[in-house]
Amino acid sequence: RMPVSDPAADRWQRASVAFSLSFLSLAFSITAFSSSYWCEGTRKVAKPFCTGQSTGDHCIRFNSPDANNSNAVQYIWETGDDKFVDRKFHAGIWYSCEEIINEEGEKCRSFISLTPAADRGVLWLSIVAELLYIILLLIGVVLMSVEMCYYSTVIDGLKINAFSAVVTVLAGLLGMVAHMMYTTVFQMTVNLGPEDWRPHTWDYGWSYGLAWASFACCMAAAVTTINKYTKTILEFKHKRKTLERSLKIKYKFPDH
């Protein structure tokens, strides 16, 4: 004989899975939105002249003892890679930062100011969509927590469940659009941005992966919530048919 599962316990388990996924999605989205590691790469910049006693590969020793040697000077100015150094940078929705040569720390600039004027509108739409995505995720988390902790009738739970499913699906769609718009804006900035910013090599960073992981968790939470809603409705229909059948047998109601 197969063990019969408790419908209430099953519903609570599904609700807790959906809540956990939504909370994870919210945490990932806030972390990604506030960070500046959506894209990382390097820029080729000209080496500065060494000053004072500074030496190393990050500056040109123009005032070295060999400065009078015409061969050394010729070598410095004619070899391409020896005149340049790779400077690491990382960019997000708000800031783009790059390391300072021969010094500790970074120099940061607003990413909005680097974006071509024609694409700033798309970037602002992306920012608004990201904010709405986070707000809707927060509403979904609150609704799911209310559904788990608020002990009332199953009908009230179904209403909250349906609303949280709609909110979570809308959040996922907004998040997908926001991430895609930012990707487009960044690629346009790489091609048409300021000369003193354009990267030599670049790739997507951990924040970008975290943003899409947030989207995946959001959609998984939406699917779990819709599945829970559908299963509860089917359980109600099955119980109703079983009750009607038992009443007909008990009272011998005539079939119409």
Side-chain angles (χ1 to χ4, degrees), residues 227-243:
N227 180 265
K228 175 178 174 290
Y229 178 82
T230 307
K231 188 172 181 181
T232 308
I233 291 292
L234 291 175
E235 284 175 358
F236 265 101
K237 287 183 178 180
H238 177 70
K239 286 180 180 179
R240 182 180 175 184
K241 286 182 180 179
T242 306
L243 182 62

Side-chain angles (χ1 to χ4, degrees), residues 85-106:
V85 64
D86 288 332
R87 177 186 286 176
K88 293 180 181 178
F89 85 96
H90 54 89
I93 293 178
W94 301 106
Y95 293 103
S96 174
C97 300
E98 57 187 50
E99 64 180 352
I100 302 172
I101 301 176
N102 294 333
E103 293 181 29
E104 293 184 359
E106 294 179 325

Side-chain angles (χ1 to χ4, degrees), residues 23-255:
F23 185 80
L24 206 60
S25 177
L26 179 63
F28 284 172
S29 63
I30 291 174
T31 304
F33 185 66
S34 58
S35 72
S36 59
Y37 284 87
W38 285 61
C39 300
E40 298 177 80
T42 58
R43 286 186 56 236
K44 273 193 176 297
V45 295
K47 290 181 181 179
F49 290 116
C50 295
T51 56
Q53 300 298 320
S54 61
T55 58
D57 297 329
H58 295 298
C59 62
I60 299 174
R61 294 185 296 276
F62 186 72
N63 294 324
S64 65
D66 295 330
N68 294 326
N69 188 330
S70 60
N71 292 330
V73 175
Q74 191 75 9
Y75 176 77
I76 288 171
W77 289 104
E78 285 188 357
T79 54
D81 284 340
D82 289 324
K83 287 167 51 180
F84 296 95
V85 64
D86 288 332
R87 177 186 286 176
K88 293 180 181 178
F89 85 96
H90 54 89
I93 293 178
W94 301 106
Y95 293 103
S96 174
C97 300
E98 57 187 50
E99 64 180 352
I100 302 172
I101 301 176
N102 294 333
E103 293 181 29
E104 293 184 359
E106 294 179 325
K107 179 181 70 174
C108 295
R109 289 183 281 181
S110 169
F111 184 73
I112 298 169
S113 65
L114 299 171
T115 309
D119 297 307
R120 280 178 193 165
V122 181
L123 180 60
W124 278 112
L125 281 175
S126 171
I127 291 172
V128 170
E130 286 283 354
L131 286 171
L132 288 174
Y133 171 56
I134 292 173
I135 290 169
L136 287 175
L137 278 177
L138 182 61
I139 292 172
V141 167
V142 170
L143 287 171
M144 289 175 190
S145 63
V146 167
E147 183 189 357
M148 288 175 62
C149 302
Y150 178 62
Y151 296 99
S152 183
T153 62
V154 181
I155 299 298
D156 289 340
L158 271 177
K159 290 176 183 177
I160 297 173
N161 190 228
F163 193 51
S164 61
V166 172
V167 167
T168 311
V169 169
L170 284 176
L173 292 175
L174 269 173
M176 180 181 68
V177 171
H179 303 344
M180 291 175 69
M181 282 196 295
Y182 177 78
T183 304
T184 304
V185 169
F186 185 83
Q187 290 174 351
M188 292 299 293
T189 307
V190 168
N191 295 325
L192 304 173
E195 288 285 349
D196 65 340
W197 179 84
R198 291 183 198 176
H200 179 66
T201 59
W202 66 276
D203 202 353
Y204 296 109
W206 61 267
S207 295
Y208 188 78
L210 206 61
W212 282 108
S214 169
F215 167 74
C217 289
C218 175
M219 295 313 294
V223 169
T224 306
T225 308
I226 293 170
N227 180 265
K228 175 178 174 290
Y229 178 82
T230 307
K231 188 172 181 181
T232 308
I233 291 292
L234 291 175
E235 284 175 358
F236 265 101
K237 287 183 178 180
H238 177 70
K239 286 180 180 179
R240 182 180 175 184
K241 286 182 180 179
T242 306
L243 182 62
E244 287 176 353
R245 196 179 297 115
S246 65
L247 286 173
K248 282 181 182 180
I249 293 172
K250 185 174 181 180
Y251 296 104
K252 296 181 181 179
F253 285 161
D255 293 327

